[in-house]
Amino acid sequence: MNIGEASAASGVSTKMIRYYEQIGLIRAAARTESGYRVYSPSDVETLRFIRRARDLGFSVEEMGTLLALWQDKGRESADVKRVALQHVAEIEKRIHELEGMARTLRHLAGHCHGDDRPDCPILDDLAAVTETKKVAARRPALRGRP
């Protein structure tokens, strides 16, 4: 099947299929005499695997690791579990960070009058953080001076 058919069958866009081939995540497709890519059912199965891994948020590097494990019939499931649990830990860390951001924004929005006045604690907070970073960046240069 051609790249469009492989894309439709796998749920991976043609652009991403080309990209995955370019970076070596998938093997280069066979070519017709006229240079068109040709994909086998096995190639489509691999693309579906990648699509599912991507849907679960795995990075390209992690997808490469998982693909290698999937294709290695002598693998140990402990290796697969380790990759999955590392990914879960990263997801949980991001969730914690996002919850913190949501709490901060909810707090700031709760203190914003939301009226026609120009005062805005949300913008004041953003500016204060920026100013704090500027001051902190200058401090090391002042150390050691009498």
Side-chain angles (χ1 to χ4, degrees), residues 81-107:
K81 184 176 181 176
R82 186 173 23 263
V83 172
L85 290 177
Q86 286 172 345
H87 187 62
V88 168
E90 292 169 14
I91 290 170
E92 288 172 342
K93 180 182 176 194
R94 282 188 294 190
I95 289 170
H96 179 73
E97 291 168 351
L98 289 169
E99 287 172 340
M101 286 186 252
R103 276 191 305 275
T104 299
L105 289 170
R106 199 175 296 113
H107 172 79

Side-chain angles (χ1 to χ4, degrees), residues 31-82:
R31 300 277 183 154
T32 64
E33 285 184 24
S34 56
Y36 290 101
R37 290 174 171 89
V38 178
Y39 295 89
S40 69
S42 174
D43 294 330
V44 172
E45 187 177 353
T46 299
L47 290 169
R48 284 187 186 126
F49 181 97
I50 290 169
R51 173 60 192 249
R52 179 67 176 140
R54 190 179 74 202
D55 288 347
L56 290 172
F58 286 100
S59 68
V60 170
E61 181 180 295
E62 290 167 329
M63 286 189 291
T65 300
L66 289 169
L67 269 172
L69 288 167
W70 181 52
Q71 293 165 344
D72 177 6
K73 300 306 177 198
R75 70 183 169 264
E76 294 182 9
S77 64
D79 295 333
V80 180
K81 184 176 181 176
R82 186 173 23 263

